[in-house]
Amino acid sequence: MPMLRRALLALGGALLILRGTAASGLDLSVAGPEFIVFDQRMQACDTSDLPDAPARAFRNAQGQMVLFAPNFRNRAFEGPDLRHLARDCTVRFAARQSADPGQLDDRTWLHAFHTTDGIHVFALASASFIPYRHGESCAAGRERTACWSNGIAALSSQDGGRSFSYTAPPPQHVLMPPQPFTPQVRDPAGFVSATNIVSYKGDLYSIVWRREADGKRSRNCLVRAPGGDVRRWEMWTGEGFAPMAQEGPAGWQVEGTDCAAIGRGLPAIRGLVLHPASGTFIAVFQMRPRGPTGGEDGFYTTTSKDMVTWSPPRLLLAQPLRDGLDDHGTFAGYPTLIDDNSPDRDFGTVGPQADLVFVRFMELGAGGPKGRNRQLVAVPLRITP
C-alpha cells in the first residue's frame, strides 16, 4: 500500500527515540538468525503473487495457522507454525476491479482477522479505488498513488478462511469510508490500513491509520468492537469511545469517522499485540527519524498500558526503508509481530518469544524497480521484563 510512505517519512522527525529499555520495562531483542517464510522468485504461484501487506494470521478449526501477507489477490499460507507453512495458490478473495469510485471495490487487501472457532472468520480489509487503473486523471498529482481512495471494509468467511465475501454488497460493505473521490485532492481523507485485531477484557481492538488531505493531520486511531460484537464498532474520541459504524439489514451504517489521534506523532502502526504477563501492549511500525536527534532507519516499537498513551519509540531492527516508488536497491517494510505459540486464535498475544515478520524488497540485477523479488522474512525475538 504505497500511499502510506509519504506519511511515514513526514512524521518521523518530531519524536524522541529511545535506545534502551522501553518505558514499560519490556525489552525486545533479536534472538537468532532470520528465516525466509516465502521467496517470490522460488515460490510464487504466478507473477502477481507477492507479499504486499503486513502478515496476519489466525488458527483454524484444525489447529493450523492460516497466514496472509497478501496483495490484491488474497492468497494464504497454511501449516502448524510460522516455519512450516505451505503456499496455497487459491485466491481466497479478490475485489471486482470496479471503475466506479463510489463502490470502493477496485482492489482490496485483507488486513485483520477474528475468529472464535476457526470456522467463522471476520476480517477488516483495506478497500480502494485506484484512478490511474481506470483512465481517471488526477489533477492534484501525477504519481500512481495520487487521488487513491481508501476505506476499511468488512468481510467474513464461513469455511475457515478458504474463501471470503463482503458482509454486504458495495458500497454498504465499508464501515470506515473515505471522502468522495475527486481528481482535485491528491491524498483524500480516508482509512488506509488496520492492524491485527487484539482481544482485551471482552472487547476487540484494532489501530487504523486515518489519512487526511493535510498530511500533518493524518493519525493512528483506536477502534473497538464492544463485547466482541464485530457488527458494531466504536472509535476513541479523546474523551471516550463513541459509535462509529453498525451493521444493519442493508449493510453498514456509518455514524462517525472523526477519531482522535493516539500515540501522537507516531507513523502508521502496522502491528499490535498484548503481552499478558505484564499487561503491556506492543506496537510496531517503520520509521525514518528526522530532526536534530536523528536515528537509524528501520522498525521501531512502542508500548502502552491502555492503547491510548504510548511510550517513545525504540529501535528494534535497523533496516533500509523505501523512499519512493522509483527507489533502487534493497529495502524493507510492512512489519508485524507474531508469536506462533500464542494460545489466542487471532495471534493477538505474545509470550517470551515472538517473531518480527516483514517484507523485503530486493532488486534483481540492473532491471530497476520492475526487476524485483520480494521475500517474507521472520526474525526471532526475545521479550523480557
Side-chain angles (χ1 to χ4, degrees):
M1 299 295 290
M3 70 289 296
L4 277 174
R5 293 176 188 124
R6 286 192 295 269
L8 291 173
L9 298 179
L11 291 173
L15 301 174
L16 171 68
I17 308 301
L18 290 184
R19 299 184 185 280
T21 302
S24 70
L26 284 183
D27 182 77
L28 282 74
S29 57
V30 174
E34 68 177 38
F35 173 80
I36 305 301
V37 179
F38 173 79
D39 188 302
Q40 179 188 358
R41 184 172 46 178
M42 305 296 294
Q43 298 168 272
C45 301
D46 55 38
T47 56
S48 71
D49 185 18
L50 50 84
D52 196 38
R56 305 285 189 243
F58 62 89
R59 190 172 287 110
N60 67 17
Q62 290 72 45
Q64 296 291 291
M65 171 184 278
V66 181
L67 183 140
F68 289 79
N71 71 349
F72 56 90
R73 294 187 179 95
N74 294 265
R75 294 181 168 103
F77 303 87
E78 290 195 16
D81 54 54
L82 196 59
R83 284 160 177 74
H84 299 89
L85 293 173
R87 187 57 158 170
D88 178 13
C89 288
T90 304
V91 176
R92 302 192 177 198
F93 179 79
R96 296 178 178 87
Q97 305 186 63
S98 172
D100 180 354
Q103 294 292 298
L104 209 66
D105 191 22
D106 184 5
R107 287 183 170 176
T108 295
W109 289 254
L110 296 174
H111 271 207
F113 303 98
H114 172 64
T115 180
T116 58
D117 59 10
I119 299 172
H120 304 92
V121 186
F122 174 82
L124 295 174
S126 178
S128 67
F129 170 71
I130 307 172
Y132 83 88
R133 292 189 357 92
H134 304 286
E136 290 275 4
S137 62
C138 179
R142 296 183 178 180
E143 305 94 336
R144 286 194 304 128
T145 57
C147 296
W148 279 32
S149 294
N150 293 88
I152 301 298
L155 296 91
S156 65
S157 172
Q158 310 305 318
D159 57 8
R162 300 206 62 79
S163 63
F164 284 86
S165 59
Y166 292 133
T167 56
Q172 279 73 40
H173 65 313
V174 177
L175 66 158
M176 302 177 209
Q179 73 176 64
F181 168 76
T182 169
Q184 308 304 320
V185 179
R186 178 184 173 185
D187 294 309
F191 293 88
V192 179
S193 64
T195 69
N196 47 300
I197 293 172
V198 172
S199 178
Y200 182 63
K201 294 185 177 180
D203 301 326
L204 302 175
Y205 292 87
S206 178
I207 296 174
V208 298
W209 180 250
R210 167 76 177 180
R211 182 185 59 203
E212 297 286 356
D214 176 1
K216 293 180 180 179
R217 297 183 59 238
S218 297
R219 58 200 183 273
N220 291 293
C221 293
L222 182 64
V223 299
R224 74 175 183 184
D229 183 359
V230 295
R231 299 167 299 177
R232 184 164 61 97
W233 287 83
E234 299 175 336
M235 60 184 176
W236 177 254
T237 65
E239 298 180 354
F241 284 94
M244 191 174 201
Q246 183 167 317
E247 186 182 13
W252 288 91
Q253 300 170 342
V254 179
E255 301 179 56
T257 60
D258 190 18
C259 48
I262 62 163
R264 190 170 299 276
L266 292 177
I269 291 172
R270 307 315 300 265
L272 173 69
V273 290
L274 171 66
H275 183 255
S278 65
T280 303
F281 297 93
I282 309 168
V284 63
F285 50 90
Q286 66 189 61
M287 187 170 71
R288 178 176 284 116
R290 303 293 195 191
T293 57
E296 296 180 83
D297 294 357
F299 300 138
Y300 284 74
T301 58
T302 178
T303 57
S304 175
K305 292 293 187 179
D306 60 7
M307 292 180 281
V308 173
T309 302
W310 292 86
S311 69
R314 180 192 177 203
L315 180 65
L316 176 60
L317 184 69
Q319 288 287 299
L321 302 179
R322 191 175 190 173
D323 196 15
L325 292 177
D326 295 325
D327 271 10
H328 294 250
T330 296
F331 46 87
Y334 302 128
T336 195
L337 301 172
I338 297 177
D339 177 1
D340 52 17
N341 290 313
S342 172
D344 179 39
R345 277 199 182 272
D346 301 334
F347 294 94
T349 63
V350 292
Q353 292 90 31
D355 284 282
L356 168 67
V357 184
F358 64 93
V359 177
R360 176 177 292 138
F361 303 75
M362 305 168 64
E363 189 169 287
L364 301 177
K370 292 185 179 179
R372 290 198 185 277
N373 178 50
R374 296 194 192 187
Q375 295 177 331
L376 189 63
V377 182
V379 175
L381 302 176
R382 182 180 299 108
I383 304 174
T384 55

